[in-house]
């Protein structure tokens, strides 16, 4: 019992000593210009004790000799010091890792935090992560407020709208500027009725993702004022890669190769019935619906795509579409009037895309070549594209 009593007294004494060893540490936290930093965080390392500086940058915290105080503030490098006195004044320095440099109008580089308007940047590697025939589609999800509208047509256009639509009848697309040169990214689409026509793509689809160094998006009137009224919907500045110095003498070579395979999702395709043939209803005459007459026999409807025509009947022989093509092999023949064995599911095929690029880089030049070959899900649909790029600079004087 005496042993236990003595141990309890010893523990209480040690606890009292630890509490007694703590002291109030105070001071001021300032920035690189010796101005107070209100809201800076002060923590005792390894504990839950912490506080924040007041409006004048002052703080007070209980800490013992030998404990470490950790000072932090957004945009500044964290600083740690051991407690050795009752007063510790700290000067935090800017964190260079947060000094993001962005490209602004006319290719001028500025510190992002020094700008008075909204700018967001994306590295060229982010665009090249997932290859696309239209490089603008790669910006989808990379820039806040930027809506990329692609219509899922191979080689088709992609529209870029920043911060929503501002006009009901006018152009809402952002202005694309490549190395200081504005380009016309209008959509030349003859499909204006939803039935037929062509989507010829737009100019931005010729951008090679492997040749992009960075992308800066200028948001708002203040950011895009230097480009005039064409930029009233925002500006996408694209800077291409240039030649750069190498660690060793010689020429650098970069090779990229990508392949992708795609297929349709059969679960999203319609389910086809096999009870009625082509037609829009039983109002043209004929047995149970409309029929075409081809020669002396009945023929299935080849000009209507609905499936509300005559009921299939295997005992009835009629002319099918393939009996009306001389080159098909059974011209003029007949076959039982039954549902076809295949549907649109069997029409589509897997798509394959290959992208191969090579670039030669020197101190004062860069030469690049990219080859793209895409086979779509539609039979006989294919895109082949070769892109060449060259950039160079010459130093004058010493």
């Amino acid at each position: 019992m005496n042993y236990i009593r003595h141990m309890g007294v010893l523990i209480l004494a040690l606890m009292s000593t630890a509490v007694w060893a703590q002291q109030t540490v105070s001071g001021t936290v300032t920035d690189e210009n010796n101005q107070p930093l209100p809201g800076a965080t002060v923590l005792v390392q390894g504990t839950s004790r912490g506080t924040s500086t007041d409006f004048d940058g002052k703080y007070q915290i209980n800490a013992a000799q030998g404990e470490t105080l950790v000072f932090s503030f957004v945009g500044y490098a964290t600083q740690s010091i051991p407690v050795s006195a009752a007063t510790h004044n700290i000067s935090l320095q800017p964190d260079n890792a947060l000094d993001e440099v962005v490209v602004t109008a006319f290719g001028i580089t500025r510190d992002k935090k020094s700008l008075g308007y909204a700018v967001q940047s994306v590295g060229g590697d982010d665009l090249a992560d997932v290859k696309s025939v239209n490089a603008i589609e790669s910006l989808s999800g990379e820039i806040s407020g930027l809506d990329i509208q692609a219509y899922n047509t191979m080689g088709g256009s992609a529209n870029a709208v920043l911060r929503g639509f501002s006009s009901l009848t006018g152009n809402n697309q952002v202005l694309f500027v490549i190395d200081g040169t504005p380009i016309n990214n209008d959509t030349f689409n003859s499909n204006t009725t939803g039935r037929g026509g062509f989507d010829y793509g737009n100019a931005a689809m010729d951008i090679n993702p492997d040749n992009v160094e960075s992308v800066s998006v200028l948001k708002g009137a203040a950011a895009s004022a230097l480009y005039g009224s064409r930029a009233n919907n925002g500006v996408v500045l694209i800077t291409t890669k240039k030649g750069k110095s190498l660690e060793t003498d010689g020429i650098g070579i970069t090779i990229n190769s990508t392949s992708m395979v795609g297929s349709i999702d059969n679960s999203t395709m319609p389910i086809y019935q096999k009870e009625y043939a082509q037609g829009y209803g039983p109002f043209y005459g004929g047995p149970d619906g409309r029929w075409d007459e081809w020669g002396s026999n009945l023929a299935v409807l080849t000009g209507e795509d609905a499936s509300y025509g005559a009921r299939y009947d295997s005992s009835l022989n009629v002319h099918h579409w393939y009996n009306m093509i001389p080159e098909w092999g059974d011209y003029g023949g007949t076959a039982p009037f039954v549902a076809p064995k295949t549907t649109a599911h069997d029409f589509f095929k897997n798509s394959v895309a290959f992208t191969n690029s090579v670039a030669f880089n020197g101190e004062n030049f860069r030469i690049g070549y990219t080859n793209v070959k895409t086979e779509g899900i539609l039979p006989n649909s294919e895109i082949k594209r070769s892109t060449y790029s060259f950039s160079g600079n010459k130093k004058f004087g010493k």
Side-chain angles (χ1 to χ4, degrees):
M1 292 294 294
N2 291 335
Y3 174 76
I4 296 175
R5 187 183 301 113
H6 292 159
M7 286 295 296
V9 172
L10 179 59
I11 292 174
L12 290 174
L14 291 174
M15 292 177 60
S16 299
T17 302
V19 173
W20 176 82
Q22 288 187 4
Q23 60 180 336
T24 300
V25 180
S26 61
T28 304
V29 180
T30 57
D31 60 12
E32 73 278 12
N33 298 317
N34 203 31
Q35 297 297 316
L37 281 177
T41 301
V42 184
L43 294 173
V44 178
Q45 192 175 58
T47 71
S48 59
R49 301 196 304 275
T51 186
S52 299
T53 57
D54 60 16
F55 184 77
D56 297 320
K58 299 183 180 300
Y59 73 94
Q60 284 187 346
I61 191 171
N62 292 328
Q65 291 281 339
E67 288 186 316
T68 300
L69 296 182
V70 180
F71 299 84
S72 61
F73 190 77
V74 176
Y76 288 81
T78 301
Q79 189 173 149
S80 302
I81 62 167
V83 176
S84 59
T87 301
H88 285 286
N89 295 322
I90 301 299
S91 177
L92 297 181
Q93 300 300 314
D95 187 356
N96 293 329
L98 296 179
D99 290 340
E100 183 178 354
V101 176
V102 296
V103 179
T104 61
F106 298 143
I108 301 173
T109 56
R110 301 261 315 265
D111 287 340
K112 184 176 181 180
K113 66 180 183 181
S114 68
L115 301 177
Y117 47 80
V119 177
Q120 191 169 352
S121 298
V122 175
D125 293 339
D126 295 323
L127 267 67
D129 284 343
V130 179
K131 306 294 183 181
S132 175
V133 176
N134 195 328
I136 303 306
E137 296 179 15
S138 302
L139 285 173
S140 181
E142 300 288 350
I143 301 293
S144 61
L146 183 63
D147 182 21
I148 305 297
Q149 300 174 341
Y151 301 104
N152 201 28
T153 55
M154 189 178 66
S157 59
N159 299 331
V161 178
L162 184 63
R163 291 182 172 179
F165 292 88
S166 58
S167 173
L168 294 177
T169 58
N171 184 12
N172 290 283
Q173 283 206 76
V174 299
L175 174 67
F176 284 86
V177 179
I178 303 177
D179 289 336
T181 302
I183 66 172
N184 183 2
N185 197 47
D186 291 343
T187 301
F188 301 99
N189 192 340
S190 64
N191 185 358
T192 58
T193 63
R195 302 181 64 180
F198 298 94
D199 184 355
Y200 296 99
N202 41 9
M205 69 179 296
D206 292 330
I207 299 171
N208 179 13
D210 290 324
N211 197 38
V212 175
E213 179 70 27
S214 65
V215 178
S216 294
V217 178
L218 309 182
K219 306 176 182 180
S224 55
L226 292 176
Y227 291 104
S229 60
R230 291 179 300 173
N232 59 348
N233 296 316
V235 178
V236 174
L237 296 176
I238 298 177
T239 304
T240 59
K241 295 178 180 178
K242 306 294 190 299
K244 58 184 178 180
S245 300
L246 303 175
E247 295 181 357
T248 59
D249 294 335
I251 298 176
I253 301 177
T254 303
I255 299 175
N256 293 313
S257 182
T258 305
S259 61
M260 294 185 294
V261 178
S263 62
I264 66 169
D265 185 358
N266 281 319
S267 64
T268 63
M269 295 289 288
I271 299 175
Y272 295 90
Q273 56 84 27
K274 295 185 177 182
E275 187 175 354
Y276 296 93
Q278 299 98 313
Y280 285 98
F283 46 80
Y284 289 106
D288 299 323
R290 177 182 172 181
W291 290 83
D292 283 340
E293 291 187 6
W294 193 70
S296 59
N297 293 310
L298 297 177
V300 298
L301 295 170
T302 57
E304 297 183 357
D305 54 7
S307 57
Y308 187 51
R311 188 187 298 270
Y312 284 119
D313 184 355
S314 59
S315 63
L316 184 64
N317 290 328
V318 299
H319 294 299
H320 293 270
W321 64 270
Y322 48 82
N323 300 127
M324 305 176 191
I325 303 176
E327 296 80 9
W328 200 259
D330 192 17
Y331 182 71
T334 60
F337 185 47
V338 295
K341 297 180 180 180
T342 59
T343 66
H345 297 249
D346 305 292
F347 174 74
F348 297 102
K349 64 185 186 68
N350 291 339
S351 65
V352 183
F354 301 97
T355 303
N356 301 295
S357 66
V358 59
F360 299 91
N361 176 74
E363 182 177 1
N364 299 318
F365 73 93
R366 186 180 189 276
I367 301 175
Y369 169 72
T370 300
N371 176 264
V372 177
K373 180 181 179 181
T374 302
E375 297 179 0
I377 60 174
L378 298 178
N380 301 320
S381 61
E382 184 181 67
I383 290 179
K384 294 181 179 180
R385 185 176 69 192
S386 294
T387 305
Y388 302 87
S389 63
F390 173 78
S391 62
N393 58 76
K394 183 177 181 181
K395 297 181 179 178
F396 295 92
K398 296 181 179 180

